Amino acid sequence: MRKIVIAGNWKMHKTQGEALTFLQGFLGQLSETPQDREVVLCVPFTALSALSKNLHGSRVMLGAQNIHWEDSGAYTGEVSGSMLEEFGIRYVVVGHSERRQLFGETDQTVNKRLMAAQRHALTPILCVGETKEQRDRGEAEDIISKQLMQALVNIDQSNLVIAYEPIWAIGTGDTCETTEANRIIGVIRQQLDNQSVSIQYGGSVKPGNIDEIMAQSDIDGVLVGGASLEPDSFSRIANFVQ
Ligand code: PEP
């Protein structure tokens, strides 16, 4: 059974205080959210402690935005699964295009981070997607297929979420056509051994397009950047109308 996962990726936004203010506005707007939807906030490491205390007993799951493959060691600036476990988090974003493009993540390091997440019983949200140039050259499917093939070596597909995030749609306001996102997600699913992996769409998801996105047959949820920063917009996304 494919789970619906609505996840916010706050990126490098919000201090602890701002995160708690967000919660005050957000939690009250989830009283009608159907129980079969997983609502997740993937927040900066510095906000995990405050949020884990304040989300206790709520239906919102906490997530991180990266994880190192070792449990400890000389890796300045990195955070390990043992450290994340302490906050009771359930999800971790791995291989986001900003990590790949700005911080040199490769399919090999993504694979190692996925393994570490699963070793610590976290569900990784593996991000894949093509650039505008790759799409224009007709390479989108090949690129995504290669990303998946390399990232998923020795990965347990029973504890995995995949996010299809066309890079040209991230933070640009330029959403991928919903039918095209649905088609690519179908292609991704064909490459998986486990057909119940949830596959999200990500890229300029907003209150104005969420209902249409979630009406697509193969899209099991969304990974949301900008529109997850405001309680009203992210709660509208979590409360999408079927
Ligand atoms: C993202 O950060 O994964 C993302 C999809 O961002 P945005 O929703 O702002 O396009």
Side-chain angles (χ1 to χ4, degrees):
M1 171 81 168
R2 284 153 41 193
K3 202 167 26 174
I4 296 172
V5 184
I6 307 293
N9 170 21
W10 281 0
K11 312 191 187 199
M12 196 174 71
H13 291 287
K14 296 195 190 295
T15 61
Q16 291 190 76
E18 289 163 349
L20 293 177
T21 304
F22 171 95
L23 274 198
Q24 280 169 10
F26 184 60
L27 293 180
Q29 300 194 56
L30 299 182
S31 52
E32 308 282 308
T33 312
Q35 286 302 325
D36 63 354
R37 298 180 192 174
E38 195 105 302
V39 181
V40 186
L41 289 172
C42 299
V43 305
F45 295 130
T46 48
L48 287 174
S49 174
L51 286 187
S52 71
K53 288 176 197 137
N54 286 276
L55 285 175
H56 203 69
S58 94
R59 58 161 305 160
V60 178
M61 307 280 167
L62 196 54
Q65 296 174 18
N66 208 354
I67 179 172
H68 194 263
W69 51 88
E70 296 291 346
D71 289 347
S72 62
Y75 300 101
T76 302
E78 292 282 334
V79 170
S80 76
S82 333
M83 295 166 179
L84 293 175
E85 263 180 18
E86 289 190 321
F87 299 109
I89 74 165
R90 290 283 282 277
Y91 286 88
V92 59
V93 177
V94 175
H96 191 279
S97 62
E98 287 152 15
R99 298 297 317 170
R100 294 177 191 257
Q101 294 196 313
L102 304 175
F103 301 98
E105 293 271 352
T106 64
D107 290 323
Q108 286 69 34
T109 58
V110 167
N111 173 254
K112 292 203 280 184
R113 292 181 198 269
L114 290 174
M115 273 197 263
Q118 293 191 334
R119 198 168 68 240
H120 287 279
L122 304 176
T123 303
I125 301 177
L126 163 65
C127 302
V128 296
E130 80 287 357
T131 63
K132 177 86 174 73
E133 293 70 31
Q134 289 163 338
R135 172 158 282 265
D136 290 346
R137 289 198 297 267
E139 297 169 1
E141 291 175 37
D142 286 350
I143 293 290
I144 294 163
S145 170
K146 180 173 156 284
Q147 288 172 338
L148 284 174
M149 211 159 44
Q150 299 189 353
L152 293 182
V153 174
N154 294 326
I155 295 303
D156 172 8
Q157 295 187 11
S158 67
N159 180 27
L160 176 70
V161 170
I162 294 175
Y164 167 53
E165 297 210 306
I167 296 171
W168 46 273
I170 296 180
T172 57
D174 195 6
T175 322
C176 183
E177 286 281 333
T178 48
T179 49
E180 173 59 6
N182 193 53
R183 186 185 72 80
I184 296 274
I185 286 176
V187 171
I188 291 174
R189 185 162 284 118
Q190 281 170 13
Q191 214 180 310
L192 301 177
D193 299 330
N194 181 351
Q195 294 301 296
S196 36
V197 172
S198 296
I199 309 180
Q200 302 172 307
Y201 166 75
S204 298
V205 175
K206 301 181 271 279
N209 58 24
I210 184 67
D211 298 342
E212 187 185 331
I213 291 168
M214 290 307 299
Q216 297 295 318
S217 58
D218 274 290
I219 302 182
D220 304 321
V222 283
L223 183 58
V224 188
S228 71
L229 294 171
E230 294 299 328
D232 289 352
S233 59
F234 195 46
S235 60
R236 173 62 183 86
I237 288 169
N239 292 325
F240 70 86
V241 180
Q242 261 164 333

